[in-house]
C-alpha cells in the first residue's frame, strides 16, 4: 500500500482538520482490514489527540465504524452516498435520449430534475431547436410549487414529507399566478397525480408555462421528473393536454428503461 504523505498544514485556503479526516478516510478505504489508532496515526501522520477527536466525529456520523476490539473501518454511510451518486448519474444518462426525443417532437426545452433538500434540482437540460432559449442551467434549484418538475415531484411525496417541506420552505408568491395556499397546492398535486402530469402556468415567471411528469425506478419509487418549458405564446391552453400526454409518455419510457413496471403489467 502506498502510505499517504504527511499532511502539509501550511497549505493556504485549506482546513487542516478536514485534510486529516480525509487522509484517515482514504487510508481506511485502501486497506481491507481494520486499523487501530496507533496504526492510523503512523500512516497518516496525525497526532493521537487529533486522531481521537476526528475518529469520534466520523464514527458519530457513521462515516467510519469502530469494531469491538477498538479498531476502525469505513462505515455504511459511504454505501448510501455511493448509491445516491450512482442513481443520480444513471438517471441522467438513461433519460437524455428520451429527453432529446421529446424536445424534437414538441420543439420545447426539456429539463430533468430530482428532489434535493426540499427543492427541484436540475440534473440535465436539452435545449429546443428554436430561437427561444431559457436561462435555466444544470445545478439550478427551483421551489416545488412554481415549477413543472417541482409539482410532479411533490405530487408523489407522502403527506408528512410534503407538509415538512411546505413548513420549511413556505409557498412564497413569485407572480400573481403563484399558488400560495397549502390546501390549494395539495388539490393541484392530487390532479397532477391523477392525470400523470403537472402544469405550471406562469407561476414562477410571467409568460412561461411548464408541464412535468415523474420518473419511477424498478422498485416503484420516484426517482425524478422531466418537464417541458415553453413560452405561453408557444403553448396555448388548448394544447396543454396534448403536450402533457407527450411528457407523461416520455417519462414512462424513461421509467420502463430504468426497470419500472406499471401496476397491473
Amino acid at each position: 500500500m502506498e502510505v499517504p504523505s504527511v499532511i502539509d498544514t501550511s497549505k493556504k485556503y485549506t482546513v487542516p482538520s478536514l485534510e486529516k479526516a480525509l487522509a484517515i478516510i482514504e487510508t481506511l478505504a485502501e486497506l481491507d482490514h481494520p486499523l487501530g489508532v496507533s496504526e492510523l496515526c503512523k500512516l497518516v501522520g496525525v497526532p493521537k489527540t487529533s486522531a481521537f477527536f476526528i475518529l469520534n466525529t466520523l464514527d458519530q456520523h457513521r462515516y467510519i465504524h469502530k469494531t469491538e476490539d477498538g479498531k476502525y473501518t469505513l462505515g455504511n454511510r459511504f454505501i448510501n452516498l455511493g448509491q445516491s451518486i450512482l442513481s443520480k448519474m444513471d438517471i441522467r444518462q438513461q433519460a437524455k435520449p428520451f429527453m432529446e426525443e421529446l424536445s424534437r417532437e414538441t420543439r420545447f426545452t426539456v429539463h430533468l430534475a430530482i428532489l434535493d433538500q426540499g427543492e427541484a434540482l436540475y440534473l440535465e437540460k436539452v435545449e429546443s431547436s428554436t430561437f427561444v432559449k431559457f436561462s435555466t442551467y444544470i445545478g439550478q434549484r427551483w421551489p416545488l410549487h412554481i415549477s413543472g418538475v417541482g409539482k410532479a415531484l411533490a405530487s408523489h411525496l407522502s403527506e408528512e414529507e410534503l407538509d415538512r417541506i411546505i413548513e420549511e420552505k413556505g409557498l412564497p408568491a413569485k407572480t400573481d399566478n403563484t399558488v400560495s395556499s397549502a390546501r390549494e397546492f395539495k388539490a393541484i398535486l392530487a390532479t397532477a397525480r391523477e392525470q400523470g402530469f403537472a402544469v405550471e402556468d406562469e407561476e414562477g415567471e410571467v409568460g412561461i408555462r411548464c408541464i412535468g411528469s415523474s420518473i419511477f425506478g424498478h422498485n416503484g419509487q420516484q426517482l425524478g421528473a422531466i418537464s417541458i418549458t415553453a413560452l405561453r405564446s408557444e403553448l396555448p391552453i388548448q394544447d396543454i393536454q396534448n403536450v402533457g400526454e407527450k411528457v407523461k409518455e416520455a417519462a414512462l419510457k424513461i421509467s420502463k428503461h430504468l426497470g419500472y413496471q406499471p401496476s397491473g403489467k
Side-chain angles (χ1 to χ4, degrees):
M1 183 196 78
E2 182 180 350
V3 179
S5 58
V6 176
I7 298 168
D8 181 5
T9 56
S10 66
K11 293 179 181 178
K12 292 184 177 180
Y13 312 118
T14 62
V15 181
S17 59
L18 181 56
E19 287 197 334
K20 293 172 185 176
L22 292 172
I24 288 173
I25 290 171
E26 290 170 0
T27 300
L28 291 174
E30 290 177 2
L31 298 174
D32 58 2
H33 61 275
L35 288 177
V37 177
S38 297
E39 296 172 281
L40 276 171
C41 291
K42 182 179 179 180
L43 288 171
V44 181
V46 176
K48 281 192 176 181
T49 302
S50 298
F52 172 78
F53 288 109
I54 292 171
L55 290 168
N56 187 54
T57 300
L58 291 173
D59 186 29
Q60 288 183 27
H61 290 277
R62 298 186 292 111
Y63 285 103
I64 63 172
H65 171 69
K66 189 175 183 178
T67 63
E68 292 183 359
D69 58 356
K71 295 186 177 183
Y72 294 91
T73 63
L74 288 185
N76 292 335
R77 187 70 180 271
F78 284 104
I79 297 176
N80 302 132
L81 292 174
Q83 289 176 338
S84 176
I85 293 170
L86 288 173
S87 66
K88 290 174 184 178
M89 291 177 62
D90 185 61
I91 190 175
R92 182 179 177 183
Q93 295 169 353
Q94 301 297 328
K96 192 165 185 179
F98 299 98
M99 294 171 64
E100 292 171 337
E101 179 184 356
L102 178 62
S103 182
R104 285 193 299 269
E105 185 177 1
T106 62
R107 302 194 59 178
F108 296 138
T109 294
V110 180
H111 294 99
L112 166 69
I114 59 169
L115 180 70
D116 186 74
Q117 300 179 34
E119 299 173 312
L121 172 65
Y122 287 155
L123 286 189
E124 188 57 89
K125 175 182 180 181
V126 175
E127 293 274 14
S128 71
S129 59
T130 67
F131 71 91
V132 177
K133 306 298 177 186
F134 297 97
S135 60
T136 51
Y137 56 89
I138 295 172
Q140 186 174 9
R141 295 175 179 275
W142 275 88
L144 299 183
H145 69 299
I146 62 168
S147 60
V149 285
K151 286 185 176 182
L153 291 168
S155 69
H156 291 281
L157 295 177
S158 67
E159 187 81 8
E160 294 75 18
E161 178 69 3
L162 181 60
D163 285 340
R164 185 191 65 78
I165 292 174
I166 292 175
E167 182 178 358
E168 179 182 330
K169 303 290 184 180
L171 298 170
K174 297 296 183 181
T175 73
D176 291 340
N177 295 326
T178 303
V179 174
S180 297
S181 160
R183 185 173 182 177
E184 187 178 354
F185 183 47
K186 290 180 179 181
I188 290 172
L189 297 182
T191 298
R193 197 160 47 246
E194 182 179 348
Q195 65 186 6
F197 61 87
V199 179
E200 181 268 302
D201 191 2
E202 299 187 85
E203 296 163 64
E205 188 174 346
V206 175
I208 305 297
R209 284 176 172 149
C210 301
I211 303 175
S213 186
S214 293
I215 296 169
F216 301 93
H218 65 90
N219 58 1
Q221 294 295 309
Q222 179 178 236
L223 299 178
I226 59 169
S227 70
I228 60 90
T229 301
L231 296 177
R232 178 182 63 180
S233 58
E234 299 291 331
L235 181 57
I237 290 178
Q238 61 266 27
D239 290 347
I240 287 179
Q241 182 65 38
N242 180 51
V243 174
E245 292 295 332
K246 294 181 185 298
V247 176
K248 181 171 69 173
E249 182 181 355
L252 181 58
K253 287 181 180 179
I254 297 170
S255 298
K256 288 181 176 179
H257 196 66
L258 293 170
Y260 173 67
Q261 291 293 328
S263 58
K265 300 294 183 181

